[in-house]
Amino acid sequence: MNIVVFIKQTFDTEAKIVLDASGKIDANGVNLIINPYDEYAIEEGIRLKEKHGGEVTVVSMGGSRAQEAVRTALAMGADKGVLVSDPGLENTDEFGRAQILAKVVADIPHDIILAGRIAIDDGASQIAVRLAEALSIPSVSSVIKLEVAGTQATATREIDGGTELIEVSFPAVFTAQKGLNDPRYPSVAGIMKAKKKPLKSLTLADLGFGAGDLKMVINQYSLPTPRKAGRKIDGEPAQAASELAKLLREEAKVL
């Protein structure tokens, strides 16, 4: 069984986001981690390999520091790593990233593709399902249980107010939800082995992408305007209500 796991390196949940002079996120001095939902995907891929045999390839996109995330996944038990690292990645959206990822995955034998349900930095929850669309294969999101038999999988996924059971044939994409498993910690032996496992680095040019091939370009980031403190209106209820109506009409201009 050939398993591909897509992971993303994200900011620590407690990191303070700062923009530099050019309007880009400044990652200097910020702790970067594997997106927590992607850890469930890594663990599930390794468990499937241990049970059914095969190989796990971890794919990521990002700067040079993203190698740390890939090496951690290799230390957990994945077999190979692929990193797409290119300055052009900073300025594209989920559609562009899914197209890039589809180009990478197309060259890797794959029965199952796993990814986290959502990334904690942008909360987009789009790349995995867009990838499935680009590859013309089925996808199942928010999976909390995955059972494999032959060339088919039975996935239990979370839905509003309950769960849903879906059967799909391979190849297919699955996104991992909290509760799917308990991710393991890399062992000392695993960390040492990870240093010798293959990690292939690719650029957009290597994948055949030119400057004008991506539909959307992000020019600048900006932080939201800080919220102003509320105002308390004192006095008797009738007087306070009158003052509130006046403020809503004259200052807020919503009446």
Side-chain angles (χ1 to χ4, degrees):
M1 180 178 293
N2 294 300
I3 303 159
V4 176
V5 183
F6 174 61
I7 68 172
K8 183 179 184 181
Q9 189 180 53
T10 62
F11 295 100
D12 192 314
T13 52
E14 297 182 359
K16 182 178 180 181
I17 304 302
V18 177
L19 301 183
D20 60 23
S22 65
K24 295 181 179 180
I25 298 174
D26 187 357
N28 291 324
V30 177
N31 186 35
L32 299 177
I33 61 172
I34 295 177
N35 178 52
Y37 288 92
D38 296 345
E39 292 182 336
Y40 300 119
I42 298 168
E43 176 64 29
E44 194 65 19
I46 296 170
R47 291 189 183 192
L48 288 171
K49 181 190 75 169
E50 291 172 343
K51 185 175 182 179
H52 301 281
E55 190 172 70
V56 178
T57 303
V58 175
V59 180
S60 188
M61 293 185 282
S64 58
R65 289 183 66 182
Q67 288 191 32
E68 302 168 6
V70 177
R71 288 294 182 193
T72 298
L74 295 176
M76 290 172 68
D79 301 289
K80 296 179 180 178
V82 179
L83 174 63
V84 182
S85 186
D86 193 287
L89 292 173
E90 298 179 6
N91 299 317
T92 189
D93 66 341
E94 286 75 18
F95 171 83
R97 288 175 177 267
Q99 294 298 309
I100 295 165
L101 184 58
K103 216 45 172 309
V104 176
V105 173
D107 293 331
I108 302 173
H110 56 275
D111 300 302
I112 292 178
I113 300 173
L114 295 162
R117 179 185 70 85
I118 194 170
I120 61 171
D121 53 359
D122 58 25
S125 195
Q126 292 187 38
I127 292 182
V129 291
R130 285 181 178 270
L131 169 64
E133 181 70 17
L135 295 174
S136 299
I137 61 177
S139 68
V140 185
S141 300
S142 302
V143 173
I144 56 174
K145 186 177 181 181
L146 186 61
E147 297 176 314
V148 172
T151 60
Q152 284 195 319
T154 302
T156 303
R157 67 183 295 263
E158 280 192 342
I159 59 173
D160 290 340
T163 60
E164 182 178 35
L165 204 65
I166 299 178
E167 291 184 353
V168 293
S169 297
F170 299 149
V173 176
F174 303 91
T175 68
Q177 170 66 303
K178 183 179 181 180
L180 177 60
N181 53 53
D182 292 316
R184 68 192 69 188
Y185 290 101
S187 65
V188 174
I191 293 171
M192 298 304 294
K193 289 179 181 178
K195 296 178 180 179
K196 298 180 180 179
K197 291 180 179 179
L199 197 169
K200 185 178 181 180
S201 185
L202 299 170
T203 65
L204 293 183
D206 293 332
L207 297 169
F209 285 94
D213 290 336
L214 302 177
K215 285 188 175 182
M216 182 175 178
V217 175
I218 299 171
N219 293 319
Q220 188 174 353
Y221 292 93
S222 62
L223 294 173
T225 303
R227 294 183 62 180
K228 296 181 180 179
R231 184 186 302 183
K232 182 179 179 182
I233 301 175
D234 297 316
E236 295 297 322
Q239 180 184 0
S242 176
E243 179 66 16
L244 176 60
K246 179 181 178 182
L247 293 172
L248 290 174
R249 182 177 63 255
E250 297 178 1
E251 290 192 14
K253 300 186 184 301
V254 294
L255 294 179

